[in-house]
Amino acid sequence: MAWRSSGASNAALIENLVRNGLITDPRVKQAMLGVDRAHYAPYAPYQDSPQTIGHAATISAPHMHASACESLLPYLKPGARVLDVGSGSGYFTHVLAELVKPGGKVVGVEHIQPLVDIGTANTRKSAEGRELMDNGGIKYVKADGRLGSPEDAPYDAIHVGAAAAGFHQPLIDQLKAPGRLFMPVEENCTQHIYVIDKKEDGSVTRKKDMSVRYVPLTDAPTG
Ligand code: SAH
């Protein structure tokens, strides 16, 4: 399924994701059409696969980004506040920012400074990205994302782009009520997506979803 969605251009890739049922919502389609993956993935940007971006990081596969968008979509309204943990290439931070325009804010947290710089430079390659960087629609922060980013909390939606060793309480604490957290979690050497909802009354539910493979959410490398 994943490989069949590859295309010769950004538009072809997105159309194939729609045709294969991996994008079902027109808002997700629009947002992903609006961000050229070639600005973020240096090698084969229109292939539906993860790719290395250096520093032991990968840009996730387009179908995973589509799936995260579709899951978080009820919370991605114009003006919403969003946290993207492990922002890496910046691609998904930018897609999220397109979905919460106008008036929204996406905070991308990344713990490797060269990747913060790459994400920033990638986002500035397009006029839309530059505008979002300049008007506060996107902000990149160097920090340990396991602690969230308290300065801009609470968030309507939180996406984690690396596999966590557990359910980090600061992320749940920084969710709005209602709000949704989409994160891969590693348990017994296997990873699954968990969708964690905080309801209006503050109660929290967890739903275990598909099996996945992400790079780990770790301590920052030393040296
Ligand atoms: N969403 C990104 C995914 C990059 S891979 C993209 O599609 O481009 C996962 C990223 O999480 C890597 O960039 C890695 O450096 C970062 N990461 C890992 N542990 C982290 C932590 N504790 N805090 C912040 N970022 C972290």
Side-chain angles (χ1 to χ4, degrees), residues 53-61 65 84-93 109-112 115 143-146 159-162 214-220:
I53 52 170
H55 308 277
T58 56
I59 176 171
S60 301
H65 284 141
D84 183 27
V85 174
S87 50
S89 69
Y91 172 80
F92 197 56
T93 312
V109 180
E110 170 57 57
H111 69 164
I112 297 179
L115 285 172
D144 183 347
R146 294 171 293 190
H159 169 259
V160 182
Y214 278 71
V215 302
L217 190 68
T218 57
D219 291 330

PDB file of all heavy atoms in Angstrom, residues 53-61 65 84-93 109-112 115 143-146 159-162 214-220, ligand 1:
ATOM      1  N   ILE A  53      17.644  12.039   7.105  1.00  0.00           N
ATOM      2  CA  ILE A  53      17.930  13.480   7.005  1.00  0.00           C
ATOM      3  C   ILE A  53      19.197  13.815   7.791  1.00  0.00           C
ATOM      4  O   ILE A  53      19.463  14.971   8.116  1.00  0.00           O
ATOM      5  CB  ILE A  53      16.733  14.335   7.499  1.00  0.00           C
ATOM      6  CG1 ILE A  53      16.265  13.893   8.900  1.00  0.00           C
ATOM      7  CG2 ILE A  53      15.587  14.285   6.511  1.00  0.00           C
ATOM      8  CD1 ILE A  53      15.257  14.839   9.550  1.00  0.00           C
ATOM      9  N   GLY A  54      19.990  12.760   8.126  1.00  0.00           N
ATOM     10  CA  GLY A  54      21.223  12.973   8.884  1.00  0.00           C
ATOM     11  C   GLY A  54      20.945  12.996  10.384  1.00  0.00           C
ATOM     12  O   GLY A  54      19.788  12.996  10.819  1.00  0.00           O
ATOM     13  N   HIS A  55      22.035  12.948  11.173  1.00  0.00           N
ATOM     14  CA  HIS A  55      21.937  13.008  12.641  1.00  0.00           C
ATOM     15  C   HIS A  55      21.055  11.893  13.196  1.00  0.00           C
ATOM     16  O   HIS A  55      20.323  12.094  14.166  1.00  0.00           O
ATOM     17  CB  HIS A  55      21.427  14.384  13.098  1.00  0.00           C
ATOM     18  CG  HIS A  55      22.216  15.521  12.513  1.00  0.00           C
ATOM     19  ND1 HIS A  55      23.394  15.954  13.059  1.00  0.00           N
ATOM     20  CD2 HIS A  55      22.008  16.255  11.391  1.00  0.00           C
ATOM     21  CE1 HIS A  55      23.875  16.932  12.311  1.00  0.00           C
ATOM     22  NE2 HIS A  55      23.057  17.131  11.297  1.00  0.00           N
ATOM     23  N   ALA A  56      21.073  10.729  12.564  1.00  0.00           N
ATOM     24  CA  ALA A  56      20.299   9.545  12.969  1.00  0.00           C
ATOM     25  C   ALA A  56      18.793   9.793  12.938  1.00  0.00           C
ATOM     26  O   ALA A  56      18.021   9.088  13.590  1.00  0.00           O
ATOM     27  CB  ALA A  56      20.729   9.057  14.355  1.00  0.00           C
ATOM     28  N   ALA A  57      18.366  10.794  12.192  1.00  0.00           N
ATOM     29  CA  ALA A  57      16.934  11.109  12.101  1.00  0.00           C
ATOM     30  C   ALA A  57      16.414  10.743  10.713  1.00  0.00           C
ATOM     31  O   ALA A  57      17.187  10.643   9.750  1.00  0.00           O
ATOM     32  CB  ALA A  57      16.717  12.592  12.357  1.00  0.00           C
ATOM     33  N   THR A  58      15.111  10.530  10.619  1.00  0.00           N
ATOM     34  CA  THR A  58      14.481  10.295   9.315  1.00  0.00           C
ATOM     35  C   THR A  58      13.257  11.183   9.203  1.00  0.00           C
ATOM     36  O   THR A  58      12.602  11.471  10.202  1.00  0.00           O
ATOM     37  CB  THR A  58      14.007   8.829   9.152  1.00  0.00           C
ATOM     38  OG1 THR A  58      13.129   8.525  10.235  1.00  0.00           O
ATOM     39  CG2 THR A  58      15.155   7.844   9.149  1.00  0.00           C
ATOM     40  N   ILE A  59      12.968  11.599   7.981  1.00  0.00           N
ATOM     41  CA  ILE A  59      11.657  12.196   7.716  1.00  0.00           C
ATOM     42  C   ILE A  59      10.710  11.017   7.553  1.00  0.00           C
ATOM     43  O   ILE A  59      11.002  10.077   6.813  1.00  0.00           O
ATOM     44  CB  ILE A  59      11.675  13.148   6.492  1.00  0.00           C
ATOM     45  CG1 ILE A  59      10.269  13.682   6.195  1.00  0.00           C
ATOM     46  CG2 ILE A  59      12.285  12.510   5.258  1.00  0.00           C
ATOM     47  CD1 ILE A  59      10.250  14.813   5.129  1.00  0.00           C
ATOM     48  N   SER A  60       9.598  11.030   8.266  1.00  0.00           N
ATOM     49  CA  SER A  60       8.660   9.906   8.218  1.00  0.00           C
ATOM     50  C   SER A  60       8.058   9.773   6.830  1.00  0.00           C
ATOM     51  O   SER A  60       8.082  10.716   6.032  1.00  0.00           O
ATOM     52  CB  SER A  60       7.531  10.115   9.227  1.00  0.00           C
ATOM     53  OG  SER A  60       8.057  10.231  10.526  1.00  0.00           O
ATOM     54  N   ALA A  61       7.494   8.596   6.554  1.00  0.00           N
ATOM     55  CA  ALA A  61       6.854   8.365   5.255  1.00  0.00           C
ATOM     56  C   ALA A  61       5.597   9.222   5.129  1.00  0.00           C
ATOM     57  O   ALA A  61       4.897   9.448   6.120  1.00  0.00           O
ATOM     58  CB  ALA A  61       6.486   6.893   5.117  1.00  0.00           C
ATOM     59  N   HIS A  65       2.555  10.593   7.876  1.00  0.00           N
ATOM     60  CA  HIS A  65       2.170  11.985   8.129  1.00  0.00           C
ATOM     61  C   HIS A  65       0.683  12.182   7.824  1.00  0.00           C
ATOM     62  O   HIS A  65      -0.023  12.881   8.558  1.00  0.00           O
ATOM     63  CB  HIS A  65       3.022  12.937   7.275  1.00  0.00           C
ATOM     64  CG  HIS A  65       4.422  13.105   7.808  1.00  0.00           C
ATOM     65  ND1 HIS A  65       5.521  13.195   7.001  1.00  0.00           N
ATOM     66  CD2 HIS A  65       4.885  13.199   9.074  1.00  0.00           C
ATOM     67  CE1 HIS A  65       6.612  13.357   7.754  1.00  0.00           C
ATOM     68  NE2 HIS A  65       6.249  13.352   9.009  1.00  0.00           N
ATOM     69  N   ASP A  84       4.675  19.852  18.012  1.00  0.00           N
ATOM     70  CA  ASP A  84       5.236  18.770  17.192  1.00  0.00           C
ATOM     71  C   ASP A  84       6.579  18.373  17.807  1.00  0.00           C
ATOM     72  O   ASP A  84       7.570  19.095  17.651  1.00  0.00           O
ATOM     73  CB  ASP A  84       5.396  19.253  15.744  1.00  0.00           C
ATOM     74  CG  ASP A  84       5.896  18.156  14.825  1.00  0.00           C
ATOM     75  OD1 ASP A  84       5.651  16.963  15.126  1.00  0.00           O
ATOM     76  OD2 ASP A  84       6.511  18.492  13.798  1.00  0.00           O
ATOM     77  N   VAL A  85       6.607  17.257  18.503  1.00  0.00           N
ATOM     78  CA  VAL A  85       7.824  16.814  19.208  1.00  0.00           C
ATOM     79  C   VAL A  85       8.701  15.995  18.265  1.00  0.00           C
ATOM     80  O   VAL A  85       8.230  15.022  17.658  1.00  0.00           O
ATOM     81  CB  VAL A  85       7.435  15.961  20.441  1.00  0.00           C
ATOM     82  CG1 VAL A  85       8.691  15.368  21.097  1.00  0.00           C
ATOM     83  CG2 VAL A  85       6.665  16.798  21.453  1.00  0.00           C
ATOM     84  N   GLY A  86       9.967  16.373  18.139  1.00  0.00           N
ATOM     85  CA  GLY A  86      10.881  15.697  17.209  1.00  0.00           C
ATOM     86  C   GLY A  86      10.632  16.233  15.814  1.00  0.00           C
ATOM     87  O   GLY A  86      10.314  15.484  14.889  1.00  0.00           O
ATOM     88  N   SER A  87      10.790  17.537  15.642  1.00  0.00           N
ATOM     89  CA  SER A  87      10.356  18.191  14.392  1.00  0.00           C
ATOM     90  C   SER A  87      11.275  17.877  13.217  1.00  0.00           C
ATOM     91  O   SER A  87      10.858  18.019  12.063  1.00  0.00           O
ATOM     92  CB  SER A  87      10.218  19.696  14.603  1.00  0.00           C
ATOM     93  OG  SER A  87      11.366  20.242  15.214  1.00  0.00           O
ATOM     94  N   GLY A  88      12.508  17.441  13.483  1.00  0.00           N
ATOM     95  CA  GLY A  88      13.395  16.939  12.421  1.00  0.00           C
ATOM     96  C   GLY A  88      13.475  17.852  11.210  1.00  0.00           C
ATOM     97  O   GLY A  88      13.895  19.002  11.299  1.00  0.00           O
ATOM     98  N   SER A  89      13.054  17.344  10.068  1.00  0.00           N
ATOM     99  CA  SER A  89      13.129  18.101   8.813  1.00  0.00           C
ATOM    100  C   SER A  89      12.259  19.350   8.809  1.00  0.00           C
ATOM    101  O   SER A  89      12.470  20.249   7.998  1.00  0.00           O
ATOM    102  CB  SER A  89      12.667  17.211   7.657  1.00  0.00           C
ATOM    103  OG  SER A  89      11.255  16.969   7.779  1.00  0.00           O
ATOM    104  N   GLY A  90      11.255  19.403   9.669  1.00  0.00           N
ATOM    105  CA  GLY A  90      10.309  20.526   9.679  1.00  0.00           C
ATOM    106  C   GLY A  90       9.081  20.290   8.815  1.00  0.00           C
ATOM    107  O   GLY A  90       8.120  21.065   8.853  1.00  0.00           O
ATOM    108  N   TYR A  91       9.095  19.210   8.020  1.00  0.00           N
ATOM    109  CA  TYR A  91       7.990  18.975   7.084  1.00  0.00           C
ATOM    110  C   TYR A  91       6.636  18.929   7.791  1.00  0.00           C
ATOM    111  O   TYR A  91       5.692  19.640   7.415  1.00  0.00           O
ATOM    112  CB  TYR A  91       8.217  17.659   6.322  1.00  0.00           C
ATOM    113  CG  TYR A  91       7.017  17.267   5.474  1.00  0.00           C
ATOM    114  CD1 TYR A  91       6.802  17.864   4.235  1.00  0.00           C
ATOM    115  CD2 TYR A  91       6.086  16.337   5.928  1.00  0.00           C
ATOM    116  CE1 TYR A  91       5.699  17.537   3.467  1.00  0.00           C
ATOM    117  CE2 TYR A  91       4.979  16.002   5.168  1.00  0.00           C
ATOM    118  CZ  TYR A  91       4.787  16.606   3.939  1.00  0.00           C
ATOM    119  OH  TYR A  91       3.680  16.294   3.185  1.00  0.00           O
ATOM    120  N   PHE A  92       6.551  18.099   8.821  1.00  0.00           N
ATOM    121  CA  PHE A  92       5.224  17.916   9.431  1.00  0.00           C
ATOM    122  C   PHE A  92       4.812  19.149  10.232  1.00  0.00           C
ATOM    123  O   PHE A  92       3.627  19.484  10.291  1.00  0.00           O
ATOM    124  CB  PHE A  92       5.207  16.656  10.295  1.00  0.00           C
ATOM    125  CG  PHE A  92       3.807  16.215  10.594  1.00  0.00           C
ATOM    126  CD1 PHE A  92       2.900  15.967   9.571  1.00  0.00           C
ATOM    127  CD2 PHE A  92       3.371  16.061  11.900  1.00  0.00           C
ATOM    128  CE1 PHE A  92       1.591  15.572   9.834  1.00  0.00           C
ATOM    129  CE2 PHE A  92       2.066  15.658  12.174  1.00  0.00           C
ATOM    130  CZ  PHE A  92       1.182  15.419  11.151  1.00  0.00           C
ATOM    131  N   THR A  93       5.781  19.838  10.810  1.00  0.00           N
ATOM    132  CA  THR A  93       5.482  21.088  11.513  1.00  0.00           C
ATOM    133  C   THR A  93       4.797  22.054  10.546  1.00  0.00           C
ATOM    134  O   THR A  93       3.800  22.692  10.882  1.00  0.00           O
ATOM    135  CB  THR A  93       6.791  21.710  12.062  1.00  0.00           C
ATOM    136  OG1 THR A  93       7.529  20.695  12.738  1.00  0.00           O
ATOM    137  CG2 THR A  93       6.514  22.854  13.008  1.00  0.00           C
ATOM    138  N   VAL A 109       9.525  21.057  18.445  1.00  0.00           N
ATOM    139  CA  VAL A 109      10.607  20.869  19.415  1.00  0.00           C
ATOM    140  C   VAL A 109      11.549  19.789  18.901  1.00  0.00           C
ATOM    141  O   VAL A 109      11.102  18.699  18.509  1.00  0.00           O
ATOM    142  CB  VAL A 109      10.051  20.450  20.795  1.00  0.00           C
ATOM    143  CG1 VAL A 109      11.199  20.248  21.785  1.00  0.00           C
ATOM    144  CG2 VAL A 109       9.111  21.505  21.323  1.00  0.00           C
ATOM    145  N   GLU A 110      12.840  20.100  18.918  1.00  0.00           N
ATOM    146  CA  GLU A 110      13.857  19.183  18.394  1.00  0.00           C
ATOM    147  C   GLU A 110      15.073  19.305  19.310  1.00  0.00           C
ATOM    148  O   GLU A 110      15.440  20.415  19.682  1.00  0.00           O
ATOM    149  CB  GLU A 110      14.176  19.596  16.945  1.00  0.00           C
ATOM    150  CG  GLU A 110      15.351  18.935  16.323  1.00  0.00           C
ATOM    151  CD  GLU A 110      15.275  17.407  16.314  1.00  0.00           C
ATOM    152  OE1 GLU A 110      14.324  16.834  15.781  1.00  0.00           O
ATOM    153  OE2 GLU A 110      16.208  16.802  16.882  1.00  0.00           O
ATOM    154  N   HIS A 111      15.716  18.187  19.669  1.00  0.00           N
ATOM    155  CA  HIS A 111      16.807  18.288  20.641  1.00  0.00           C
ATOM    156  C   HIS A 111      18.203  18.338  20.012  1.00  0.00           C
ATOM    157  O   HIS A 111      19.190  18.443  20.730  1.00  0.00           O
ATOM    158  CB  HIS A 111      16.707  17.180  21.701  1.00  0.00           C
ATOM    159  CG  HIS A 111      16.987  15.801  21.194  1.00  0.00           C
ATOM    160  ND1 HIS A 111      17.248  14.752  22.038  1.00  0.00           N
ATOM    161  CD2 HIS A 111      17.031  15.296  19.944  1.00  0.00           C
ATOM    162  CE1 HIS A 111      17.447  13.662  21.322  1.00  0.00           C
ATOM    163  NE2 HIS A 111      17.320  13.964  20.065  1.00  0.00           N
ATOM    164  N   ILE A 112      18.292  18.263  18.694  1.00  0.00           N
ATOM    165  CA  ILE A 112      19.602  18.370  18.024  1.00  0.00           C
ATOM    166  C   ILE A 112      19.649  19.711  17.285  1.00  0.00           C
ATOM    167  O   ILE A 112      18.880  19.930  16.330  1.00  0.00           O
ATOM    168  CB  ILE A 112      19.810  17.188  17.053  1.00  0.00           C
ATOM    169  CG1 ILE A 112      19.831  15.867  17.853  1.00  0.00           C
ATOM    170  CG2 ILE A 112      21.086  17.345  16.251  1.00  0.00           C
ATOM    171  CD1 ILE A 112      19.998  14.631  17.011  1.00  0.00           C
ATOM    172  N   LEU A 115      19.563  20.003  13.532  1.00  0.00           N
ATOM    173  CA  LEU A 115      18.250  19.696  12.945  1.00  0.00           C
ATOM    174  C   LEU A 115      17.269  20.857  13.148  1.00  0.00           C
ATOM    175  O   LEU A 115      16.414  21.103  12.285  1.00  0.00           O
ATOM    176  CB  LEU A 115      17.686  18.396  13.522  1.00  0.00           C
ATOM    177  CG  LEU A 115      18.348  17.123  12.990  1.00  0.00           C
ATOM    178  CD1 LEU A 115      17.848  15.896  13.764  1.00  0.00           C
ATOM    179  CD2 LEU A 115      18.088  16.932  11.493  1.00  0.00           C
ATOM    180  N   ALA A 143      14.979  21.704  22.534  1.00  0.00           N
ATOM    181  CA  ALA A 143      14.677  21.265  23.901  1.00  0.00           C
ATOM    182  C   ALA A 143      14.422  19.765  23.890  1.00  0.00           C
ATOM    183  O   ALA A 143      14.295  19.151  22.824  1.00  0.00           O
ATOM    184  CB  ALA A 143      13.439  21.991  24.418  1.00  0.00           C
ATOM    185  N   ASP A 144      14.347  19.209  25.089  1.00  0.00           N
ATOM    186  CA  ASP A 144      13.947  17.801  25.229  1.00  0.00           C
ATOM    187  C   ASP A 144      12.421  17.732  25.133  1.00  0.00           C
ATOM    188  O   ASP A 144      11.710  18.163  26.036  1.00  0.00           O
ATOM    189  CB  ASP A 144      14.426  17.272  26.586  1.00  0.00           C
ATOM    190  CG  ASP A 144      14.110  15.794  26.755  1.00  0.00           C
ATOM    191  OD1 ASP A 144      13.322  15.240  25.949  1.00  0.00           O
ATOM    192  OD2 ASP A 144      14.644  15.188  27.704  1.00  0.00           O
ATOM    193  N   GLY A 145      11.965  17.192  24.026  1.00  0.00           N
ATOM    194  CA  GLY A 145      10.534  17.162  23.754  1.00  0.00           C
ATOM    195  C   GLY A 145       9.738  16.277  24.708  1.00  0.00           C
ATOM    196  O   GLY A 145       8.511  16.381  24.761  1.00  0.00           O
ATOM    197  N   ARG A 146      10.419  15.427  25.455  1.00  0.00           N
ATOM    198  CA  ARG A 146       9.696  14.598  26.428  1.00  0.00           C
ATOM    199  C   ARG A 146       9.083  15.463  27.523  1.00  0.00           C
ATOM    200  O   ARG A 146       8.182  15.029  28.223  1.00  0.00           O
ATOM    201  CB  ARG A 146      10.635  13.545  27.030  1.00  0.00           C
ATOM    202  CG  ARG A 146      11.087  12.539  25.984  1.00  0.00           C
ATOM    203  CD  ARG A 146      12.162  11.629  26.507  1.00  0.00           C
ATOM    204  NE  ARG A 146      13.400  12.366  26.765  1.00  0.00           N
ATOM    205  CZ  ARG A 146      14.562  11.797  27.044  1.00  0.00           C
ATOM    206  NH1 ARG A 146      14.646  10.486  27.113  1.00  0.00           N
ATOM    207  NH2 ARG A 146      15.638  12.516  27.261  1.00  0.00           N
ATOM    208  N   HIS A 159       1.719  16.088  18.462  1.00  0.00           N
ATOM    209  CA  HIS A 159       2.214  14.988  17.636  1.00  0.00           C
ATOM    210  C   HIS A 159       3.633  14.664  18.101  1.00  0.00           C
ATOM    211  O   HIS A 159       4.443  15.572  18.307  1.00  0.00           O
ATOM    212  CB  HIS A 159       2.242  15.418  16.161  1.00  0.00           C
ATOM    213  CG  HIS A 159       2.972  14.460  15.278  1.00  0.00           C
ATOM    214  ND1 HIS A 159       4.269  14.684  14.836  1.00  0.00           N
ATOM    215  CD2 HIS A 159       2.608  13.266  14.756  1.00  0.00           C
ATOM    216  CE1 HIS A 159       4.642  13.673  14.072  1.00  0.00           C
ATOM    217  NE2 HIS A 159       3.666  12.796  14.007  1.00  0.00           N
ATOM    218  N   VAL A 160       3.928  13.393  18.266  1.00  0.00           N
ATOM    219  CA  VAL A 160       5.282  12.977  18.606  1.00  0.00           C
ATOM    220  C   VAL A 160       5.825  12.180  17.420  1.00  0.00           C
ATOM    221  O   VAL A 160       5.212  11.190  16.997  1.00  0.00           O
ATOM    222  CB  VAL A 160       5.312  12.147  19.913  1.00  0.00           C
ATOM    223  CG1 VAL A 160       6.744  11.761  20.269  1.00  0.00           C
ATOM    224  CG2 VAL A 160       4.688  12.934  21.067  1.00  0.00           C
ATOM    225  N   GLY A 161       6.965  12.604  16.884  1.00  0.00           N
ATOM    226  CA  GLY A 161       7.521  12.006  15.670  1.00  0.00           C
ATOM    227  C   GLY A 161       8.626  11.008  15.935  1.00  0.00           C
ATOM    228  O   GLY A 161       9.382  10.665  15.025  1.00  0.00           O
ATOM    229  N   ALA A 162       8.765  10.553  17.186  1.00  0.00           N
ATOM    230  CA  ALA A 162       9.777   9.554  17.540  1.00  0.00           C
ATOM    231  C   ALA A 162       9.167   8.648  18.600  1.00  0.00           C
ATOM    232  O   ALA A 162       8.288   9.068  19.353  1.00  0.00           O
ATOM    233  CB  ALA A 162      11.036  10.244  18.067  1.00  0.00           C
ATOM    234  N   TYR A 214       9.451   3.829  14.223  1.00  0.00           N
ATOM    235  CA  TYR A 214       9.975   5.193  14.289  1.00  0.00           C
ATOM    236  C   TYR A 214      11.366   5.148  14.929  1.00  0.00           C
ATOM    237  O   TYR A 214      11.690   4.204  15.642  1.00  0.00           O
ATOM    238  CB  TYR A 214       9.078   6.067  15.184  1.00  0.00           C
ATOM    239  CG  TYR A 214       7.833   6.622  14.518  1.00  0.00           C
ATOM    240  CD1 TYR A 214       6.761   5.796  14.180  1.00  0.00           C
ATOM    241  CD2 TYR A 214       7.718   7.984  14.252  1.00  0.00           C
ATOM    242  CE1 TYR A 214       5.623   6.311  13.592  1.00  0.00           C
ATOM    243  CE2 TYR A 214       6.573   8.509  13.663  1.00  0.00           C
ATOM    244  CZ  TYR A 214       5.531   7.671  13.337  1.00  0.00           C
ATOM    245  OH  TYR A 214       4.405   8.179  12.755  1.00  0.00           O
ATOM    246  N   VAL A 215      12.148   6.219  14.719  1.00  0.00           N
ATOM    247  CA  VAL A 215      13.407   6.332  15.472  1.00  0.00           C
ATOM    248  C   VAL A 215      13.030   6.649  16.915  1.00  0.00           C
ATOM    249  O   VAL A 215      11.965   7.204  17.167  1.00  0.00           O
ATOM    250  CB  VAL A 215      14.362   7.411  14.887  1.00  0.00           C
ATOM    251  CG1 VAL A 215      14.689   7.131  13.435  1.00  0.00           C
ATOM    252  CG2 VAL A 215      13.804   8.812  15.035  1.00  0.00           C
ATOM    253  N   PRO A 216      13.895   6.303  17.883  1.00  0.00           N
ATOM    254  CA  PRO A 216      13.506   6.484  19.288  1.00  0.00           C
ATOM    255  C   PRO A 216      13.548   7.936  19.774  1.00  0.00           C
ATOM    256  O   PRO A 216      14.347   8.737  19.291  1.00  0.00           O
ATOM    257  CB  PRO A 216      14.536   5.628  20.041  1.00  0.00           C
ATOM    258  CG  PRO A 216      15.697   5.532  19.138  1.00  0.00           C
ATOM    259  CD  PRO A 216      15.195   5.629  17.733  1.00  0.00           C
ATOM    260  N   LEU A 217      12.693   8.221  20.721  1.00  0.00           N
ATOM    261  CA  LEU A 217      12.696   9.498  21.449  1.00  0.00           C
ATOM    262  C   LEU A 217      13.678   9.317  22.599  1.00  0.00           C
ATOM    263  O   LEU A 217      13.450   8.495  23.484  1.00  0.00           O
ATOM    264  CB  LEU A 217      11.284   9.762  21.973  1.00  0.00           C
ATOM    265  CG  LEU A 217      10.950  11.123  22.563  1.00  0.00           C
ATOM    266  CD1 LEU A 217      10.971  12.212  21.496  1.00  0.00           C
ATOM    267  CD2 LEU A 217       9.572  11.101  23.229  1.00  0.00           C
ATOM    268  N   THR A 218      14.789  10.036  22.538  1.00  0.00           N
ATOM    269  CA  THR A 218      15.929   9.706  23.427  1.00  0.00           C
ATOM    270  C   THR A 218      16.471  10.934  24.146  1.00  0.00           C
ATOM    271  O   THR A 218      16.023  12.054  23.927  1.00  0.00           O
ATOM    272  CB  THR A 218      17.102   9.170  22.571  1.00  0.00           C
ATOM    273  OG1 THR A 218      17.409  10.182  21.601  1.00  0.00           O
ATOM    274  CG2 THR A 218      16.771   7.875  21.898  1.00  0.00           C
ATOM    275  N   ASP A 219      17.533  10.664  24.926  1.00  0.00           N
ATOM    276  CA  ASP A 219      18.359  11.735  25.454  1.00  0.00           C
ATOM    277  C   ASP A 219      19.104  12.371  24.275  1.00  0.00           C
ATOM    278  O   ASP A 219      19.397  11.676  23.293  1.00  0.00           O
ATOM    279  CB  ASP A 219      19.425  11.174  26.413  1.00  0.00           C
ATOM    280  CG  ASP A 219      18.795  10.658  27.693  1.00  0.00           C
ATOM    281  OD1 ASP A 219      17.749  11.194  28.100  1.00  0.00           O
ATOM    282  OD2 ASP A 219      19.355   9.706  28.275  1.00  0.00           O
ATOM    283  N   ALA A 220      19.431  13.635  24.393  1.00  0.00           N
ATOM    284  CA  ALA A 220      20.203  14.298  23.348  1.00  0.00           C
ATOM    285  C   ALA A 220      21.590  13.668  23.283  1.00  0.00           C
ATOM    286  O   ALA A 220      22.160  13.314  24.319  1.00  0.00           O
ATOM    287  CB  ALA A 220      20.320  15.784  23.645  1.00  0.00           C
TER     288      ALA A 220
HETATM  289  N1  SAH B   1       8.686  14.598  12.236  1.00  0.00           N
HETATM  290  C1  SAH B   1      10.056  14.506  11.799  1.00  0.00           C
HETATM  291  C2  SAH B   1      10.631  13.217  12.364  1.00  0.00           C
HETATM  292  C3  SAH B   1      12.094  13.233  12.505  1.00  0.00           C
HETATM  293  S1  SAH B   1      12.737  11.721  13.187  1.00  0.00           S
HETATM  294  C4  SAH B   1      10.111  14.473  10.276  1.00  0.00           C
HETATM  295  O1  SAH B   1       9.247  13.839   9.683  1.00  0.00           O
HETATM  296  O2  SAH B   1      11.020  15.062   9.698  1.00  0.00           O
HETATM  297  C5  SAH B   1      12.503  12.000  14.906  1.00  0.00           C
HETATM  298  C6  SAH B   1      13.145  13.240  15.448  1.00  0.00           C
HETATM  299  O3  SAH B   1      12.971  13.254  16.859  1.00  0.00           O
HETATM  300  C7  SAH B   1      14.632  13.333  15.183  1.00  0.00           C
HETATM  301  O4  SAH B   1      14.866  14.543  14.508  1.00  0.00           O
HETATM  302  C8  SAH B   1      15.255  13.341  16.579  1.00  0.00           C
HETATM  303  O5  SAH B   1      16.408  14.151  16.662  1.00  0.00           O
HETATM  304  C9  SAH B   1      14.119  13.887  17.419  1.00  0.00           C
HETATM  305  N2  SAH B   1      14.163  13.530  18.839  1.00  0.00           N
HETATM  306  C10 SAH B   1      14.490  12.335  19.397  1.00  0.00           C
HETATM  307  N3  SAH B   1      14.423  12.419  20.749  1.00  0.00           N
HETATM  308  C11 SAH B   1      14.036  13.700  21.049  1.00  0.00           C
HETATM  309  C12 SAH B   1      13.794  14.388  22.269  1.00  0.00           C
HETATM  310  N4  SAH B   1      13.941  13.801  23.457  1.00  0.00           N
HETATM  311  N5  SAH B   1      13.396  15.678  22.191  1.00  0.00           N
HETATM  312  C13 SAH B   1      13.251  16.312  20.985  1.00  0.00           C
HETATM  313  N6  SAH B   1      13.480  15.701  19.797  1.00  0.00           N
HETATM  314  C14 SAH B   1      13.865  14.414  19.834  1.00  0.00           C
END
